[in-house]
Amino acid sequence: MKEVLRIDTVAEHDAFYHKENRHPLVSIMDFDGRVPEIYASRMNFGFYAVYLKEVKCGDMKYGRYTYDYQDRTLVFVAPGQIIHVDINKDYKPQGYALLFHPDLISGTSLGKHLQDYTFFTYQTKEALHLSEAEREIVLGCFDRIRYELEQGADSHSKNLIVSNIELFLDYCMRFYDRQFITRNEFNTGILEQFEKILNDYYRSDQPQNIGLPSVAYCASKLNLSANYFGDLIRKETGKTALEYIQLKVIALAKQKIQENRKPLNEISDELGFRYPSHFTRLFKRKTGLTPNEFRRAGVPAMGQA
């Protein structure tokens, strides 16, 4: 396996591309054919990076489908992630990048809720593909950050830079919402596969051996990151992926309770609960009744689903 190139700071990244560094914690990069110091196919950063990639030759592998845009792609990288870059002898980067170190946003509003921008943990094949109008908005945000960097530091600089990064990330959330909508056919297929994964899981002995199906397990079966999968399910159904799984489990529990007289702790085990008390707690939270109360009431399963 090829060695991973580690770049810890924003300043090191600027130097890697022979660019003057104007701030140790944040930078806007215009690649414009800049050639890196060395060619590395695997890299790891100590900061956040967002790449606006504008050519396919020598770029990251996105795994795009035909219904996605063919260029104007945003890729989000969190500190510690390893990115794989497909380069060739004609490699000349094209595009832009926003780089910012966690220390820049420490103690700010953005720092406190950065985890809400879940796309930083998406896989590169789940990248954001922009329309031309969206690309112009992104470049406008980059221009405002660059302007602040070029003015030199004053008492307002940090707040304005961080605010513009936050504005940019908020726009990205909007653009991802659009992408989820425009990929409706693909998303419908994912929902159908999700349902099949859960059905297959409960036709096997995995619940007794592994436990309840997790969001991460289902996402891995679909070759998606857990956060992208969760965001997609929430956009499509209005429920989190965990809530969707729990509703499936409760529907199966109702059937098992009504269709046979098995002890409830045996049903709990068949569903994958580690302890019967966990089963009872979830069942009551979702139905308003304990499993025993549900069995005694003889409530039709379909009426409670």
Side-chain angles (χ1 to χ4, degrees):
M1 184 176 292
K2 294 183 179 179
E3 187 176 347
V4 177
L5 174 65
R6 172 73 181 180
I7 302 179
D8 287 307
T9 69
V10 171
E12 288 175 3
H13 187 280
D14 281 353
F16 184 71
Y17 281 98
H18 309 286
K19 176 187 178 295
E20 178 187 0
N21 177 256
R22 294 181 177 273
H23 193 295
L25 300 179
V26 59
S27 181
I28 294 292
M29 172 78 74
D30 180 353
F31 288 101
D32 191 25
R34 289 177 180 271
V35 177
E37 186 70 25
I38 59 173
Y39 289 102
S41 59
R42 302 173 75 234
M43 293 189 289
N44 178 288
F45 300 146
F47 46 85
Y48 293 93
V50 184
Y51 291 99
L52 173 56
K53 312 298 286 185
E54 299 199 309
V55 295
K56 289 184 282 187
C57 176
D59 270 348
M60 295 179 192
K61 298 177 182 177
Y62 304 118
R64 287 190 298 254
Y65 296 88
T66 55
Y67 39 74
D68 283 326
Y69 294 93
Q70 294 304 305
D71 55 11
R72 303 184 297 267
T73 303
L74 277 177
V75 178
F76 301 83
V77 182
Q81 289 181 336
I82 294 177
I83 61 172
H84 300 262
V85 183
D86 182 18
I87 59 178
N88 57 49
K89 61 184 178 64
D90 299 318
Y91 177 63
K92 286 190 177 167
Q94 293 288 331
Y96 305 85
L98 163 64
L99 317 167
F100 62 97
H101 196 277
D103 288 351
L104 177 75
I105 60 174
S106 178
T108 68
S109 170
L110 176 58
K112 292 173 183 175
H113 71 91
L114 189 70
Q115 69 276 6
D116 295 341
Y117 301 104
T118 51
F119 40 75
F120 274 107
T121 57
Y122 289 178
Q123 298 175 10
T124 50
K125 70 176 183 178
E126 300 153 356
L128 177 58
H129 307 291
L130 304 173
S131 68
E132 181 56 36
E134 290 167 346
R135 174 183 176 275
E136 291 303 315
I137 290 173
V138 167
L139 290 179
C141 291
F142 285 6
D143 283 343
R144 285 189 288 275
I145 296 169
R146 182 188 291 110
Y147 173 82
E148 290 301 324
L149 293 174
E150 291 173 349
Q151 298 312 299
D154 60 28
S155 61
H156 303 283
S157 299
K158 179 178 177 178
N159 285 341
L160 288 168
I161 290 171
V162 172
S163 294
N164 277 293
I165 292 174
E166 187 168 12
L167 176 64
F168 162 68
L169 296 176
D170 285 342
Y171 270 120
C172 291
M173 290 187 77
R174 169 188 278 182
F175 299 157
Y176 258 117
D177 283 350
R178 184 270 308 154
Q179 182 162 291
F180 282 127
I181 293 170
T182 57
R183 298 177 64 168
N184 183 64
E185 183 178 341
F186 170 73
N187 295 346
T188 300
I190 291 294
L191 279 172
E192 292 172 352
Q193 293 178 66
F194 184 22
E195 187 69 24
K196 183 178 184 301
I197 288 167
L198 293 176
N199 288 336
D200 290 346
Y201 191 88
Y202 278 106
R203 291 191 189 105
S204 71
D205 59 359
Q206 291 185 94
Q208 294 95 320
N209 295 332
I210 300 176
L212 291 166
S214 67
V215 174
Y217 170 84
C218 296
S220 68
K221 286 291 184 179
L222 293 164
N223 295 314
L224 298 173
S225 65
N227 273 337
Y228 185 88
F229 173 65
D231 290 345
L232 185 154
I233 296 301
R234 187 174 66 252
K235 294 289 190 297
E236 288 295 304
T237 69
K239 300 178 178 65
T240 67
L242 179 59
E243 288 171 336
Y244 193 98
I245 291 171
Q246 290 175 340
L247 289 174
K248 179 71 173 181
V249 171
I250 295 302
L252 289 171
K254 290 175 181 177
Q255 292 177 7
K256 289 177 177 291
I257 290 170
Q258 292 186 329
E259 290 173 359
N260 59 66
R261 304 304 298 177
K262 285 183 180 179
L264 293 175
N265 62 345
E266 188 174 334
I267 292 175
S268 170
D269 183 63
E270 289 177 355
L271 291 170
F273 287 91
R274 187 174 182 182
Y275 302 108
S277 59
H278 294 176
F279 169 49
T280 299
R281 191 179 306 126
L282 178 65
F283 194 93
K284 183 166 186 179
R285 191 168 79 243
K286 295 297 183 182
T287 69
L289 300 171
T290 66
N292 264 323
E293 290 169 342
F294 183 83
R295 174 170 276 173
R296 286 197 299 269
V299 180
M302 292 303 292
Q304 284 288 331

